[in-house]
Amino acid sequence: IDIAGDIRRLNDIAQFAQQTGMLILGGGVVKHHICNANLMRNGADFSVFINTGQEFDGSDSGARPDEAISWGKIKPDATPVKVYGDASLLFPLLVSQ
């Protein structure tokens, strides 16, 4: 396991991509590193967050997309979506359509 190397590779992929998008199921550390990788390229072109996190608890999972826009993790002209619900239930329903 090479956590630092994985983060470096993720940042390189995001930085040199023509466009990026984020489909984040759940939250926490994974959401943090994916969003930060897009910060290095002035924001993701699109994003969808699916989780049960609420803003009032101060967790990274609960942060709404407008907060990521204010940090430069999502481009201001993107149309981000946050879906409040259990990703293990909602994601299969979304991709089956």
Side-chain angles (χ1 to χ4, degrees), residues 2-97:
D2 182 6
I3 295 171
D6 290 345
I7 292 169
R8 189 175 308 111
R9 280 187 292 281
L10 181 62
N11 289 343
D12 287 344
I13 290 168
Q15 188 173 1
F16 297 111
Q18 290 183 10
Q19 289 187 314
T20 64
M22 300 184 288
L23 173 58
I24 300 180
L25 308 176
V29 174
V30 172
K31 180 182 176 197
H32 175 76
H33 289 298
I34 292 171
C35 287
N36 281 350
N38 281 281
L39 173 67
M40 305 301 171
R41 63 174 311 277
N42 298 319
D45 298 289
F46 70 90
S47 80
V48 178
F49 300 160
I50 303 174
N51 62 51
T52 58
Q54 300 290 318
E55 187 176 16
F56 70 85
D57 68 4
S59 67
D60 186 34
S61 299
R64 294 185 346 210
D66 56 335
E67 182 176 344
I69 291 171
S70 74
W71 281 87
K73 297 174 181 181
I74 301 173
K75 290 186 176 180
D77 60 346
T79 307
V81 176
K82 173 150 184 182
V83 180
Y84 294 91
D86 187 304
S88 65
L89 173 70
L90 294 176
F91 183 67
L93 292 173
L94 289 172
V95 298
S96 70
Q97 297 303 314

